[in-house]
Amino acid sequence: MKWKSWRRLGAAIMLCLSLGSTSFAANHITEAEAIGEVTGDGEHVSHVIVQYDAPVLSSSLSPSDYTVDGRTIEKVYTNTAAEKTTAHTESGNYVVLQLQALPLVDSSVDPHPEDGPVKDRQKKGHGGGPQLGSHGNPSPLPVMKANVSQTGFVKTVSGALYGPEEGIETSKSRDLIVEDFIQGTFTDSQQQNAVLKYNLYVPKNYDPQKKYPLVLFMHDAGVVSPDVKATLVQGLGAVTFASPGWQASHPCFVLAPQYDTVIVDDNYDYGPELDRTIHLIQSLCQTYSIDTRRIYNTGQSMGGMTSIAMDVKYPHFFATSYLIACKWNAAVTAPLASQPLWTVICEGDAGAYPSMTEILGNLEKSGTKVDRQTLDANVPTVQLQAEAASLIEPDCSHYLTIYKGGSHRYTWLYAYTMKPALESIFSQSLPETH
């Protein structure tokens, strides 16, 4: 044991002897809860909340008093409720362990191994990507669990010292923001009652007398799944618009359909789910007070391709599109000239990079102004946000951000944290005539 640890233990024992109120064997932790939060590469445990049988003094706590298997604790504090907070309390029955964020991981695993190697799919005429109508290779949703130990001594409000307790596994969990979405199934009477599962975020304090924007997020082919919540936990595309910070200044509906098949392919064909999604939005507009001049679409990979296909087929339905790591047939994308766009791709994306640079280049040749920039996504967030904001001009509605290096999936690790781009999108609305 290190000298500091011996000294801390010795001080604790001396304090125990002086107070005469110490518990080494009793289990004073009554429950532990894992808090999950979604990041650019999926959902992870961000906090562990430990509940005690008596209020604990915050001043007696240190990150070194606890361990969480496989993680680093960067902050510890008390609360009177089982919630993370920035308004820390002097004491409380709940001790909140804030974990250091995990590094983002750019996965390059083929989500559709059942389709065979790329060269074989190309021979079959499948365009080298997931096959239209394929059910993919769905993975179970991540389980938010942690194993926590109290390794030091903590002091209660009454003056008692609680000794170490080891190996407490979290018995429950929460999925922040994800839990705020409601799940539904849409039956499309225009498609022989075919169904579409979806997640919907309704603004808190929703007032039917007001009009609210709606954001449509569509996931990538790697998240094709029968589990309706898969799209919510795979990355930030849906939850970023439902976050408390975004909703505080931009109250809006967020719609995240869950597709159980691949709905577009690399031959630029699409399935009936494209129209079904439009029909779902039209149905929601009849149920809720949605501003039809401020409906926005966004998606990554397959979802971004679907966004483009929608913009071509349904001009003036969406006010703006935020296109992430996607591509489309440049021969049919001329209608995008009248559709404000912000596109984000990586230099290393062999599909999206050449396709979107060609599409935007063609629009530019036809007279559409396109502003471009190349960014390093690994620079500090403040710098990245400032560089993204510098691209925006009053007379421009088409933007292209290129991340240095990277790969196909690298793009969406960062794209939905680029706040200036999101703010720019929300500033757009369709003219009154539409």
Side-chain angles (χ1 to χ4, degrees):
M1 186 180 289
K2 293 181 179 180
W3 166 245
K4 288 185 178 179
S5 299
W6 279 111
R7 186 171 61 181
R8 184 178 178 84
L9 178 60
I13 292 174
M14 292 298 294
L15 183 57
C16 296
L17 294 174
S18 65
L19 292 172
S21 178
T22 309
S23 176
F24 289 90
N27 294 322
H28 297 287
I29 296 176
T30 60
E31 195 169 44
E33 180 177 17
I35 304 299
E37 293 189 71
V38 179
T39 66
D41 65 350
E43 186 179 25
H44 307 285
V45 176
S46 66
H47 296 74
V48 175
I49 300 180
V50 180
Q51 182 178 0
Y52 285 90
D53 58 7
V56 171
L57 286 172
S58 183
S59 58
S60 74
L61 302 176
S62 166
S64 62
D65 290 326
Y66 297 88
T67 61
V68 174
D69 288 358
R71 300 295 298 273
T72 299
I73 301 170
E74 63 180 11
K75 185 182 293 186
V76 57
Y77 56 88
T78 58
N79 198 7
T80 55
E83 298 177 353
K84 71 169 192 174
T85 180
T86 55
H88 300 168
T89 59
E90 293 183 1
S91 63
N93 285 70
Y94 301 93
V95 172
V96 183
L97 310 178
Q98 181 177 312
L99 306 181
Q100 187 179 87
L102 294 170
L104 295 176
V105 176
D106 176 15
S107 171
S108 58
V109 177
D110 184 352
H112 298 272
E114 82 288 359
D115 287 336
V118 170
K119 62 180 181 180
D120 292 341
R121 297 198 298 263
Q122 290 172 330
K123 290 179 182 178
K124 297 174 185 178
H126 295 159
Q131 186 178 356
L132 188 68
S134 165
H135 290 285
N137 187 33
S139 301
L141 299 189
V143 178
M144 296 298 104
K145 275 190 175 182
N147 192 284
V148 60
S149 297
Q150 178 192 321
T151 56
F153 288 80
V154 300
K155 186 176 181 180
T156 68
V157 171
S158 64
L161 283 180
Y162 287 171
E165 296 185 37
E166 295 186 357
I168 301 103
E169 187 171 71
T170 53
S171 58
K172 61 181 182 178
S173 65
R174 288 181 60 192
D175 305 293
L176 299 188
I177 304 180
V178 170
E179 65 189 9
D180 297 327
F181 282 79
I182 58 176
Q183 286 67 51
T185 301
F186 171 64
T187 301
D188 193 349
S189 61
Q190 300 180 60
Q191 292 188 348
Q192 292 75 52
N193 292 329
V195 298
L196 175 59
K197 294 180 181 180
Y198 66 90
N199 304 273
L200 181 68
Y201 178 86
V202 179
K204 286 181 170 56
N205 303 316
Y206 165 68
D207 182 354
Q209 302 303 313
K210 298 179 180 178
K211 289 287 188 181
Y212 297 83
L214 179 143
V215 181
L216 167 67
F217 169 74
M218 293 174 286
H219 61 76
D220 57 277
V223 190
V224 165
S225 171
D227 195 315
V228 67
K229 291 186 179 181
T231 183
L232 299 180
V233 301
Q234 56 77 51
L236 294 171
V239 296
T240 193
F241 297 102
S243 67
W246 184 265
Q247 287 285 324
S249 54
H250 304 286
C252 64
F253 285 85
V254 185
L255 173 63
Q258 180 61 53
Y259 303 110
D260 60 4
T261 61
V262 173
I263 64 172
V264 300
D265 64 16
D266 284 354
N267 294 322
Y268 308 122
D269 294 323
Y270 55 82
E273 294 83 4
L274 184 148
D275 294 322
R276 196 176 307 156
T277 304
I278 295 292
H279 299 161
L280 168 58
I281 297 172
Q282 292 169 333
S283 175
L284 292 174
C285 288
Q286 294 177 354
T287 304
Y288 296 99
S289 183
I290 294 171
D291 186 349
T292 56
R293 295 176 57 227
R294 298 188 65 201
I295 299 176
Y296 310 104
N297 68 0
T298 183
Q300 57 203 35
S301 192
M302 180 184 80
M305 294 169 70
T306 307
S307 290
I308 297 174
M310 287 177 169
D311 292 340
V312 172
K313 186 172 183 179
Y314 295 92
H316 310 303
F317 188 91
F318 297 99
T320 324
S321 295
Y322 192 46
L323 308 174
I324 310 302
C326 58
K327 59 184 178 180
W328 203 245
N329 181 5
V332 301
T333 51
L336 298 182
S338 61
Q339 168 73 63
L341 306 172
W342 195 308
T343 302
V344 187
I345 54 178
C346 278
E347 290 176 331
D349 190 333
Y353 182 83
S355 177
M356 295 311 301
T357 51
E358 179 184 5
I359 288 172
L360 290 168
N362 289 344
L363 296 181
E364 195 168 34
K365 290 175 184 177
S366 67
T368 301
K369 182 175 181 178
V370 178
D371 278 355
R372 296 172 173 80
Q373 64 183 169
T374 300
L375 302 179
D376 182 351
N378 291 307
V379 302
T381 301
V382 173
Q383 179 182 343
L384 184 66
Q385 305 289 30
E387 291 179 359
S390 68
L391 186 66
I392 300 172
E393 294 183 331
D395 62 341
C396 185
S397 60
H398 289 63
Y399 299 98
L400 174 61
T401 296
I402 303 170
Y403 292 146
K404 294 180 180 178
S407 68
H408 181 54
R409 299 185 184 199
Y410 179 90
T411 316
W412 62 79
L413 299 183
Y414 304 97
Y416 289 102
T417 63
M418 203 160 60
K419 192 173 180 181
L422 307 184
E423 295 276 3
S424 175
I425 289 166
F426 261 64
S427 70
Q428 301 287 338
S429 62
L430 293 173
E432 291 282 359
T433 54
H434 297 302

